[in-house]
Amino acid sequence: MAEHGAAEEEKVRASVAWRPGSAIKQAEQALIAEKTRVLRPFGLTVPQYAALYALSLAPGASGARLARLCSVTPQSMTTVLKTLESRGLIERHPSPDHAQVLVTRLTEDGSALLAEADGAAVAVERRLLGAFTPEEADRLRSLLERAAEALAARGS
């Protein structure tokens, strides 16, 4: 039975080997798994870390803007922000310009935790880049950007 399962797995791998989406997904899963591992000691998920990081660069951003910056749905960002707020890592207040919009800022605790967690996350990114020459890393980034653009064009 185990041989049959292994043969089926190999058949699936061989049939999708030409598909770039499979390799992209595997790389993304490996990256997220490693970031999840290194952020766990800080009590952060990858989306929570991403939100804190984005807020460090765009203080006062709305939840909708943070969702776009972090490539998550607005609903997911709402959950992330509620969790971060309950932990005292961010604070949210009504916008002076739009009563329905909450502006979000890091608290001192949020900034301190981000400073610690960012080192671990950056180490993962540096380890990834270490697998490539600088030219290869630039080419990889360029190719991935082109892939995203090709799919965003929606068949035009």
Side-chain angles (χ1 to χ4, degrees), residues 55 60-66 78 81-82 85 91-96 98-105:
L55 279 171
S62 67
R65 183 165 175 226
L66 286 170
T78 297
L81 294 176
K82 283 181 181 179
E85 187 175 31
E91 54 188 20
R92 299 188 295 168
H93 302 285
S95 167
H98 305 285
Q100 310 300 68
V101 174
L102 294 175
V103 294
T104 309
R105 297 191 190 284

Side-chain angles (χ1 to χ4, degrees), residues 44-45 47-49 51 63-64 66-67 72-87 89-90 92 102 104:
L44 292 173
T45 64
Q48 290 167 353
Y49 163 78
L66 286 170
V72 299
T73 65
Q75 296 85 351
S76 293
M77 185 54 65
T78 297
T79 301
V80 165
L81 294 176
K82 283 181 181 179
T83 301
L84 294 174
E85 187 175 31
S86 73
R87 292 181 57 195
L89 301 174
I90 63 166
R92 299 188 295 168
L102 294 175
T104 309

Side-chain angles (χ1 to χ4, degrees), residues 123-133 136-137:
V124 171
E125 299 280 353
R126 289 188 196 283
R127 199 168 92 218
L128 172 60
L129 287 176
F132 303 99
T133 66
E136 288 172 331

